[in-house]
Amino acid sequence: MRIAKILAGVAAAGLMAFPAMAQEGRYAPQLTRILEEAAKGNCLPALMAPTLLDACNGQIQGMAPALDAMGAVEMVTFVSAQDTPDGPVETYTVKFAGGQTLDWVIGHERDGKFSTVGTAG
């Protein structure tokens, strides 16, 4: 599926093996909003750092229909957090109304904007 690599290059660049952080995630609301808006064809400048926003805008035409076809976000479950030199990156399992479940990462937040969002793996 095309969205499987939604910004994976941006995400992969920041993910390295670092000790796990706290056992509770902080970014579930932002991830949910980003996914819901992307399904509608919108990249969110309010939540995306310039590099992520550029990557999103470059992929949104292919990504939006794929996300929309999966249905609404039904559940977002925190899986883990990794500490990286650029800040924490959290992993969530996201269940969509259409029955599909994917692991997503979000992190490298600065001033309320994220540099990393994408599917994990």
Side-chain angles (χ1 to χ4, degrees):
M1 179 173 286
R2 290 219 53 161
I3 62 122
K5 300 298 178 202
I6 171 182
L7 311 177
V10 176
L15 290 177
M16 299 187 280
F18 286 90
M21 293 180 7
Q23 295 301 315
E24 224 175 279
R26 301 179 311 186
Y27 303 144
Q30 296 94 328
L31 177 60
T32 301
R33 182 155 181 240
I34 288 169
L35 292 174
E36 290 172 347
E37 288 298 319
K40 297 175 189 174
N42 303 316
C43 298
L44 297 174
L47 291 177
M48 295 180 175
T51 54
L52 181 62
L53 185 60
D54 288 346
C56 181
N57 284 324
Q59 298 177 45
I60 197 66
Q61 287 187 354
M63 186 171 47
L67 281 170
D68 187 51
M70 288 192 279
V73 172
E74 280 191 341
M75 186 183 321
V76 178
T77 305
F78 175 74
V79 174
S80 65
Q82 297 290 319
D83 192 12
T84 75
D86 294 321
V89 175
E90 298 179 352
T91 302
Y92 291 88
T93 297
V94 179
K95 182 177 181 204
F96 295 89
Q100 188 160 7
T101 301
L102 295 171
D103 286 337
W104 288 81
V105 296
I106 182 170
H108 299 145
E109 181 268 334
R110 179 166 290 160
D111 299 324
K113 296 184 180 194
F114 296 89
S115 295
T116 299
V117 174
T119 56

